[in-house]
Amino acid sequence: MTLADTEIAPPEPPRYVMFWRRYKRNRAALLGLFLFALVVLMALTAGIIDPGDPLRRAGEPLTPPFMNWDTPLGTDQLGRDVLSGVFYGARISLLIGVVATLVAIVIGVVIGALAGYFGGWVDDVLMRITEAFQTIPNFVLLLTLVAIMGSKIEWITIAIGIVSWTAPARMVRAEFMSLRHREFVDAARNLGVSNTSIIFREILPNAMPPIVVYASVIMALSILMESALAFLALGDPNYASWGNMIGQGRAVLRSAPYCAVIPGIAIILTVLSFSLLGEGLNDALNPRQKK
Amino acid sequence: MTLHMPPILTYALRRLVQAIPVVILIMIGTFLLLKLAPGDTVDALVGDMGGADAAFIARLRAEYGLDQPIWVQLWRYMVKLASFDFGWSFVYEQPVATVLMDRVGTTLMLMAASLSIAFTAGIVLGAIAARRAYSATDNLISILGLVFYATPSFFLSLMLMLVFSVKLGWLPVGGIKTIAAFYTGWDHVWDVVRHLIMPTTALSLIYLAFYLRLMRASVMEVADLDYVRTARAKGAREGRLMTHHIMRNALLPVVTLLGLQFSTVLGGSIVVETIFTLPGLGQLAYQSVVQRDMNTLMGIIFLCAIIVVVVNFLTDLLYARLDSRIELA
C-alpha cells in the first residue's frame, strides 16, 4: 500500500490555481491586470482621496498641473479639479461598462442559445433580427435611442447594451450548434431533462469561456461609446465623465491642452487594460487554442 | 432557369433574396422607433405653424394617415421607404431624401479613404508581424496596434488638430474645402485631400488595429498548413511563398471582417465628421439628434442600412471569388 501510494500522481491543484498559472504566463496580461486594478482603485476611492463634487469649483480656472497641491492635475476653464474628474470618471466608466456588458451578454446569450439550440425556423427568425441589428450602424442607433429616451445615465447604459448584443449572440449560437448533438446533451435529454435545463445547466456552462473573453471586448467598446456620447455632450450632465471632460477641453485646446489630454490618457489606459486582460483570459480559459 | 446561369450569378441572386427579410425588418424597426419618439409629423407641423385648433389638427392627422390603424400606417410607411421617400425635414425645410443626397458623397469618400488605408496598412503590417513573430519588429507592431485600438477617434482627432493645425499649421482644422477660394481642377482635388487627411487618419487607425491583429493571426495559421510546407520543400522562395501561397487564404477572414465592420465605420463617422465639420451623413445624424429631427434620423438609419446591405453583398461576392471552397450553386 505504501509503495502504490507513491506512484499516484499528486492531485491537480485547484482550478483557480491552474487559471492563475496560465494567466500569469502572459506578461502583457499581467500589465493589463495591474492597469485594471488601478482603474478599479480609482473608482472605489473617488470619494475618499478627493472628497467633494467633481463638478464643483475647486480653484482658480485653468490652473496648470503640478502648480497647486489642492488641484495636482490642474483645473479646467470652470475651475473644476481635473484629478477629481479623472477619479469620478473612472467610477462612471466602469459602472457603465460593467452594466452595459451584462445587458449585452444576457440578451446575446438568450437569443444565441434559442437560435443555436432549436435551429430551424426559430434560428432563421432570430438570425434575421440579429442581422438587421448588425446592419444598422450601432452608434447611429445609440444616438437615436438617446434622442428618444433622453440622456439619463440608466437609460444610456441600457441603450449601450441594446446596441452591443449581436456579436455575443452569434458566438453563443455557434457554440450551441456545435454542442447540442454531443453525447452529454443526448444523455440529459434521454433522462427527461427539460429543454430549459439542458440549455442553461448543461450546454451554457460549456459555451461560456469564449463569451467571458469577449466580454472584455464589449466592456472596452461600451466605455468608448459612453465617452463618445459624453464628448458630443449627449451624456448625462449630472456625472463627471472622461468623454465630457475631453469635449469641454476642446474649447481650451489651444491654451490648456492638458484639460483634454489627461482624461484622454485615462480612457486609453483603461481600454488597453481590458484588451490585455482579454488576452490573458483567453490564454487561461482556452489553453488549447495557443500552441 | 438556374441551369443556364453561371454559378456566380445564382449565388449572387440567392444572397440578394436573403437580404430582403433583413431590409423589411429594418423598415419595421425604423417605424417602431418613429412611433416611440415623442411627437409625430403633425405635432412638428403644428409646432412649425405656431399652434392650431383641434379640428384642424384632426384634419391634418387624417390627411397624413395618422388616424389609421397601426398596420395600415406601417404598410404605407414601408411603401414610402421602398421608394426612398423619407418624408419632410422640418429643420431643413426640404424632403429628407434631398438632404441625404447632398451629404452621402462626403461620407462615402471619407469611408472609402479610411477603410482602404486601414485595410492596406493592416494587412501589410500584419503580414510583416506574422513573418517575424515574437521579434522586436513584431512586438513594436503589436504594441502600436493595441494603442491604436484603445484610442477613441474623438481624442485622436483633437490631438491631430492640436499638432498639425494649431502648433504646426500644416492642415486645415475643418470643413471639406477652403471657403471662397473657388479652386478648380487639380487645385480643388488637392484642397479636398488636405481637408480629408486628419479625419481619415482619425477614423482609420482603430480599424487598422483590427485588421492588423486578425491578419497576423491568420498568416501565422496559414503558414503552418501542409500546402505551404510542400511549396517551401519544392524550393519556393519566402517572398514568393507569401505573395502566391499564403496571402490569398490568409486574407479570407480579413475580407469578412471588412464587410461586417462597414456599419461600425459609418457609426464612427458621426464623431469624426462632427469634430472636423465635414458636411456628411455623420454630422447630419448628430445635428438631427440635437434638433430632434426624427424623419431625417430615420432616413439616415435606412440609407446606412441599405449601404451596409450592398457592401456586405459585394464582400460576399469577393469572398466567393477568393475562396474556391465556397459552393456557389
Side-chain angles (χ1 to χ4, degrees):
Chain A
M1 184 189 168
T2 46
L3 272 176
D5 260 358
T6 56
E7 278 173 33
I8 293 175
E12 200 169 82
R15 272 168 91 176
Y16 63 90
V17 176
M18 290 301 287
F19 178 88
W20 173 243
R21 276 190 194 162
R22 291 195 191 117
Y23 185 92
K24 72 174 182 185
R25 242 182 271 160
N26 187 335
R27 289 232 183 124
L30 282 179
L31 174 67
L33 192 65
F34 171 73
L35 288 174
F36 178 67
L38 208 65
V39 179
V40 171
L41 203 68
M42 279 179 8
L44 290 177
T45 58
I48 303 163
I49 301 266
D50 201 343
D53 192 341
L55 301 178
R56 81 193 187 282
R57 195 189 138 113
E60 273 303 297
L62 294 179
T63 313
F66 315 120
M67 299 298 278
N68 186 340
W69 271 116
D70 289 339
T71 53
L73 290 182
T75 57
D76 68 1
Q77 64 265 45
L78 296 176
R80 289 173 299 195
D81 185 3
V82 173
L83 180 73
S84 174
V86 168
F87 270 64
Y88 278 92
R91 185 177 281 182
I92 287 305
S93 287
L94 280 190
L95 203 67
I96 289 184
V98 169
V99 179
T101 304
L102 282 179
V103 173
I105 298 270
V106 167
I107 303 177
V109 161
V110 169
I111 293 201
L114 291 177
Y117 183 75
F118 290 109
W121 68 267
V122 180
D123 184 36
D124 273 340
V125 171
L126 291 176
M127 277 304 109
R128 290 298 93 74
I129 293 176
T130 311
E131 273 172 41
F133 260 91
Q134 271 185 321
T135 306
I136 298 175
N138 52 6
F139 199 65
V140 180
L141 184 59
L142 179 63
L143 283 190
T144 310
L145 291 175
V146 171
I148 292 173
M149 308 303 280
S151 291
K152 277 190 73 109
I153 195 162
E154 297 89 353
W155 176 249
I156 288 176
T157 312
I158 295 171
I160 292 177
I162 291 179
V163 303
S164 312
W165 60 267
T166 51
R170 283 174 168 272
M171 292 174 77
V172 175
R173 171 177 176 264
E175 290 291 317
F176 266 70
M177 294 217 305
S178 77
L179 290 171
R180 68 173 169 183
H181 293 307
R182 293 281 191 81
E183 279 175 3
F184 73 93
V185 178
D186 285 340
R189 197 175 292 123
N190 287 344
L191 285 170
V193 178
S194 70
N195 278 335
T196 327
S197 283
I198 293 181
I199 290 178
F200 289 106
R201 299 178 64 172
E202 303 293 332
I203 306 185
L204 190 57
N206 289 293
M208 272 329 262
I211 318 292
V212 172
V213 173
Y214 195 72
S216 66
V217 177
I218 305 179
M219 195 107 97
L221 292 176
S222 304
I223 290 178
L224 286 174
M225 273 195 259
E226 187 275 332
S227 62
L229 262 187
F231 174 81
L232 293 172
L234 295 171
D236 194 324
N238 300 314
Y239 295 90
S241 154
W242 292 336
N244 191 260
M245 291 169 77
I246 298 174
Q248 310 247 331
R250 191 184 170 190
V252 290
L253 195 60
R254 203 178 281 265
S255 53
Y258 65 89
C259 288
V261 171
I262 292 170
I265 292 172
I267 297 180
I268 294 177
L269 290 182
T270 307
V271 176
L272 193 63
S273 82
F274 285 126
S275 307
L276 298 176
L277 216 55
E279 281 187 16
L281 285 177
N282 194 33
D283 290 355
L285 291 172
N286 310 323
R288 269 162 300 174
Q289 219 174 50
K290 216 169 184 180
K291 283 164 200 159
Chain B
M1 172 193 163
T2 44
L3 274 178
H4 305 290
M5 284 210 295
I8 188 85
L9 259 184
T10 329
Y11 177 77
L13 204 65
R14 208 181 63 213
R15 298 296 299 154
L16 267 186
V17 171
Q18 280 174 346
I20 291 173
V22 173
V23 173
I24 291 176
L25 277 172
I26 290 165
M27 288 173 160
I28 298 174
T30 49
F31 179 76
L32 289 178
L33 284 173
L34 211 51
K35 285 283 147 197
L36 270 175
D40 57 22
T41 309
V42 170
D43 291 328
L45 205 60
V46 171
D48 227 28
M49 295 186 307
D53 62 74
F56 185 65
I57 291 176
R59 219 176 70 212
L60 272 180
R61 283 233 146 73
E63 200 168 309
Y64 278 93
L66 291 169
D67 56 343
Q68 301 285 324
I70 195 101
W71 296 112
V72 178
Q73 288 188 39
L74 174 63
W75 173 247
R76 287 185 180 169
Y77 183 74
M78 285 169 66
V79 170
K80 281 175 88 178
L81 277 189
S83 57
F84 283 86
D85 174 1
F86 305 121
W88 184 263
S89 164
F90 292 94
V91 172
Y92 296 93
E93 301 293 349
Q94 271 177 341
V96 170
T98 316
V99 183
L100 294 185
M101 283 309 129
D102 284 347
R103 306 276 193 137
V104 74
T106 306
T107 297
L108 286 181
M109 197 153 64
L110 176 65
M111 293 187 60
S114 304
L115 277 178
S116 30
I117 288 173
F119 186 75
T120 319
I123 60 171
V124 170
L125 288 175
I128 294 175
R131 293 318 282 157
R132 309 203 174 143
Y134 310 114
S135 71
T137 321
D138 175 32
N139 285 339
L140 183 71
I141 293 177
S142 297
I143 291 171
L144 266 185
L146 280 170
V147 173
F148 287 168
Y149 174 75
T151 311
S153 56
F154 59 87
F155 183 63
L156 185 61
S157 302
L158 289 192
M159 292 304 107
L160 289 172
M161 255 184 194
L162 184 64
V163 174
F164 293 102
S165 301
V166 177
K167 300 272 184 223
L168 297 172
W170 289 353
L171 292 169
V173 79
I176 185 75
K177 59 186 177 205
T178 312
I179 293 169
F182 306 112
Y183 289 123
T184 48
W186 284 109
D187 287 340
H188 173 67
V189 174
W190 175 235
D191 189 42
V192 172
V193 167
R194 269 167 48 85
H195 280 85
L196 280 177
I197 291 176
M198 286 197 296
T200 305
T201 314
L203 193 55
S204 61
L205 284 193
I206 186 167
Y207 301 101
L208 194 163
F210 275 121
Y211 302 141
L212 155 66
R213 283 183 65 132
L214 191 61
M215 187 66 184
R216 180 178 178 275
S218 179
V219 167
M220 283 175 76
E221 197 182 312
V222 173
D224 264 358
L225 294 179
D226 286 342
Y227 83 93
V228 177
R229 192 182 315 152
T230 311
R232 184 176 288 128
K234 287 169 82 177
R237 294 242 167 86
E238 283 301 315
R240 191 187 153 80
L241 214 54
M242 193 70 206
T243 51
H244 285 71
H245 298 270
I246 300 177
M247 216 45 165
R248 182 166 160 159
N249 282 323
L251 271 177
L252 291 174
V254 189
V255 170
T256 318
L257 190 70
L258 188 68
L260 284 175
Q261 275 190 337
F262 198 78
S263 80
T264 329
V265 187
L266 260 174
S269 68
I270 293 182
V271 173
V272 172
E273 285 181 11
T274 306
I275 295 178
F276 290 103
T277 55
L278 289 177
L281 290 178
Q283 193 200 31
L284 185 67
Y286 173 66
Q287 289 167 346
S288 308
V289 169
V290 173
Q291 294 161 330
R292 299 288 190 272
D293 185 355
M294 288 310 283
N295 278 349
T296 305
L297 205 47
M298 292 308 116
I300 294 172
I301 286 189
F302 188 69
L303 184 63
C304 287
I306 295 295
I307 294 175
V308 172
V309 167
V310 171
V311 169
N312 272 331
F313 174 68
L314 294 178
T315 35
D316 275 348
L317 289 191
L318 182 63
Y319 196 92
R321 281 273 297 140
L322 281 174
D323 190 351
S324 41
R325 285 170 302 187
I326 285 200
E327 289 273 333
L328 286 177

